[in-house]
CSV table of all heavy atoms in Angstrom, one decimal:
chain,number,residue,atom,x,y,z
A,15,VAL,N,-11.8,16.1,-19.4
A,15,VAL,CA,-11.9,17.5,-19.2
A,15,VAL,C,-13.4,17.9,-18.8
A,15,VAL,O,-13.6,18.7,-17.9
A,15,VAL,CB,-11.5,18.3,-20.5
A,15,VAL,CG1,-11.8,19.8,-20.4
A,15,VAL,CG2,-10.1,18.0,-20.8
A,16,GLY,N,-14.3,17.3,-19.4
A,16,GLY,CA,-15.7,17.6,-19.2
A,16,GLY,C,-16.5,17.5,-20.4
A,16,GLY,O,-16.0,17.4,-21.6
A,17,THR,N,-17.8,17.6,-20.3
A,17,THR,CA,-18.7,17.4,-21.4
A,17,THR,C,-18.8,18.7,-22.3
A,17,THR,O,-19.3,18.5,-23.4
A,17,THR,CB,-20.1,17.0,-20.9
A,17,THR,OG1,-20.6,18.1,-20.1
A,17,THR,CG2,-20.1,15.7,-20.1
A,18,GLU,N,-18.3,19.8,-21.9
A,18,GLU,CA,-18.5,21.0,-22.7
A,18,GLU,C,-17.8,20.9,-24.0
A,18,GLU,O,-18.4,21.3,-25.0
A,18,GLU,CB,-17.9,22.2,-21.9
A,18,GLU,CG,-18.6,22.6,-20.7
A,18,GLU,CD,-18.2,21.8,-19.5
A,18,GLU,OE1,-17.1,21.2,-19.5
A,18,GLU,OE2,-19.0,21.8,-18.5
A,19,ALA,N,-16.6,20.3,-24.1
A,19,ALA,CA,-15.9,20.1,-25.4
A,19,ALA,C,-16.7,19.2,-26.3
A,19,ALA,O,-16.9,19.6,-27.5
A,19,ALA,CB,-14.5,19.6,-25.2
A,20,GLY,N,-17.2,18.1,-25.8
A,20,GLY,CA,-18.0,17.2,-26.6
A,20,GLY,C,-19.3,17.8,-27.1
A,20,GLY,O,-19.7,17.6,-28.2
A,21,VAL,N,-19.9,18.5,-26.2
A,21,VAL,CA,-21.2,19.1,-26.5
A,21,VAL,C,-21.1,20.1,-27.6
A,21,VAL,O,-21.9,20.2,-28.5
A,21,VAL,CB,-21.9,19.6,-25.2
A,21,VAL,CG1,-23.1,20.5,-25.6
A,21,VAL,CG2,-22.3,18.5,-24.3
A,22,HIS,N,-20.1,21.0,-27.4
A,22,HIS,CA,-19.9,22.0,-28.4
A,22,HIS,C,-19.6,21.5,-29.8
A,22,HIS,O,-20.1,21.9,-30.8
A,22,HIS,CB,-18.7,22.9,-28.0
A,22,HIS,CG,-18.4,24.0,-28.9
A,22,HIS,ND1,-19.2,25.1,-29.1
A,22,HIS,CD2,-17.4,24.2,-29.8
A,22,HIS,CE1,-18.7,25.9,-30.0
A,22,HIS,NE2,-17.6,25.4,-30.5
A,23,PHE,N,-18.7,20.4,-29.8
A,23,PHE,CA,-18.4,19.8,-31.1
A,23,PHE,C,-19.6,19.1,-31.7
A,23,PHE,O,-19.9,19.2,-32.9
A,23,PHE,CB,-17.3,18.8,-30.9
A,23,PHE,CG,-16.8,18.1,-32.1
A,23,PHE,CD1,-16.1,18.8,-33.1
A,23,PHE,CD2,-17.0,16.8,-32.3
A,23,PHE,CE1,-15.7,18.2,-34.3
A,23,PHE,CE2,-16.6,16.1,-33.5
A,23,PHE,CZ,-15.9,16.8,-34.5
A,24,LEU,N,-20.4,18.4,-30.9
A,24,LEU,CA,-21.6,17.7,-31.3
A,24,LEU,C,-22.6,18.7,-31.9
A,24,LEU,O,-23.2,18.5,-32.9
A,24,LEU,CB,-22.2,16.8,-30.2
A,24,LEU,CG,-23.5,16.2,-30.5
A,24,LEU,CD1,-23.4,15.2,-31.7
A,24,LEU,CD2,-24.1,15.6,-29.3
A,25,GLU,N,-22.8,19.8,-31.2
A,25,GLU,CA,-23.8,20.8,-31.6
A,25,GLU,C,-23.4,21.3,-33.0
A,25,GLU,O,-24.3,21.5,-33.9
A,25,GLU,CB,-23.8,21.9,-30.6
A,25,GLU,CG,-24.8,23.0,-31.0
A,25,GLU,CD,-24.9,24.1,-30.0
A,25,GLU,OE1,-24.1,24.1,-29.0
A,25,GLU,OE2,-25.7,25.0,-30.2
A,26,ALA,N,-22.1,21.6,-33.2
A,26,ALA,CA,-21.7,22.1,-34.5
A,26,ALA,C,-21.9,21.1,-35.6
A,26,ALA,O,-22.3,21.5,-36.7
A,26,ALA,CB,-20.2,22.5,-34.4
A,27,VAL,N,-21.6,19.9,-35.3
A,27,VAL,CA,-21.8,18.8,-36.3
A,27,VAL,C,-23.3,18.6,-36.6
A,27,VAL,O,-23.6,18.5,-37.8
A,27,VAL,CB,-21.2,17.5,-35.8
A,27,VAL,CG1,-21.6,16.3,-36.7
A,27,VAL,CG2,-19.6,17.6,-35.7
A,28,VAL,N,-24.1,18.6,-35.6
A,28,VAL,CA,-25.5,18.3,-35.9
A,28,VAL,C,-26.1,19.5,-36.6
A,28,VAL,O,-27.0,19.3,-37.5
A,28,VAL,CB,-26.2,18.0,-34.5
A,28,VAL,CG1,-27.7,18.0,-34.7
A,28,VAL,CG2,-25.8,16.6,-34.1
A,29,ARG,N,-25.8,20.7,-36.2
A,29,ARG,CA,-26.3,21.9,-36.9
A,29,ARG,C,-25.9,21.9,-38.4
A,29,ARG,O,-26.7,22.2,-39.3
A,29,ARG,CB,-25.8,23.2,-36.3
A,29,ARG,CG,-26.5,23.5,-35.0
A,29,ARG,CD,-26.0,24.9,-34.5
A,29,ARG,NE,-26.5,25.1,-33.1
A,29,ARG,CZ,-27.6,25.8,-32.8
A,29,ARG,NH1,-28.3,26.3,-33.8
A,29,ARG,NH2,-27.9,26.0,-31.6
A,30,LYS,N,-24.7,21.6,-38.7
A,30,LYS,CA,-24.2,21.6,-40.0
A,30,LYS,C,-24.9,20.4,-40.8
A,30,LYS,O,-25.2,20.6,-42.0
A,30,LYS,CB,-22.7,21.4,-40.0
A,30,LYS,CG,-22.0,21.8,-41.3
A,30,LYS,CD,-22.1,23.3,-41.4
A,30,LYS,CE,-21.2,23.8,-42.5
A,30,LYS,NZ,-21.5,25.1,-42.9
A,31,PHE,N,-25.0,19.3,-40.2
A,31,PHE,CA,-25.7,18.1,-40.8
A,31,PHE,C,-27.1,18.6,-41.1
A,31,PHE,O,-27.6,18.3,-42.3
A,31,PHE,CB,-25.8,16.9,-39.9
A,31,PHE,CG,-26.7,15.8,-40.4
A,31,PHE,CD1,-26.4,15.1,-41.6
A,31,PHE,CD2,-27.9,15.7,-39.8
A,31,PHE,CE1,-27.3,14.2,-42.0
A,31,PHE,CE2,-28.8,14.7,-40.3
A,31,PHE,CZ,-28.5,14.0,-41.4
A,32,ASP,N,-27.9,19.2,-40.2
A,32,ASP,CA,-29.2,19.6,-40.4
A,32,ASP,C,-29.3,20.6,-41.6
A,32,ASP,O,-30.2,20.5,-42.4
A,32,ASP,CB,-29.8,20.2,-39.2
A,32,ASP,CG,-31.3,20.4,-39.3
A,32,ASP,OD1,-32.0,19.5,-39.7
A,32,ASP,OD2,-31.8,21.5,-39.0
A,33,GLU,N,-28.3,21.5,-41.7
A,33,GLU,CA,-28.3,22.4,-42.8
A,33,GLU,C,-28.2,21.7,-44.1
A,33,GLU,O,-28.9,22.0,-45.1
A,33,GLU,CB,-27.1,23.4,-42.5
A,33,GLU,CG,-26.9,24.4,-43.6
A,33,GLU,CD,-25.7,25.3,-43.3
A,33,GLU,OE1,-25.5,25.6,-42.1
A,33,GLU,OE2,-24.8,25.4,-44.2
A,34,PHE,N,-27.3,20.8,-44.2
A,34,PHE,CA,-27.1,20.0,-45.5
A,34,PHE,C,-28.3,19.1,-45.7
A,34,PHE,O,-28.7,18.9,-46.9
A,34,PHE,CB,-25.8,19.2,-45.4
A,34,PHE,CG,-24.6,20.0,-45.6
A,34,PHE,CD1,-23.6,20.1,-44.6
A,34,PHE,CD2,-24.4,20.7,-46.8
A,34,PHE,CE1,-22.5,20.8,-44.8
A,34,PHE,CE2,-23.2,21.4,-47.0
A,34,PHE,CZ,-22.3,21.5,-46.0
Side-chain angles (χ1 to χ4, degrees):
V15 174
T17 59
E18 291 84 18
V21 169
H22 179 69
F23 183 69
L24 175 64
E25 181 181 4
V27 167
V28 170
R29 282 182 192 266
K30 201 68 169 164
F31 167 75
D32 190 48
E33 179 183 313
F34 284 118

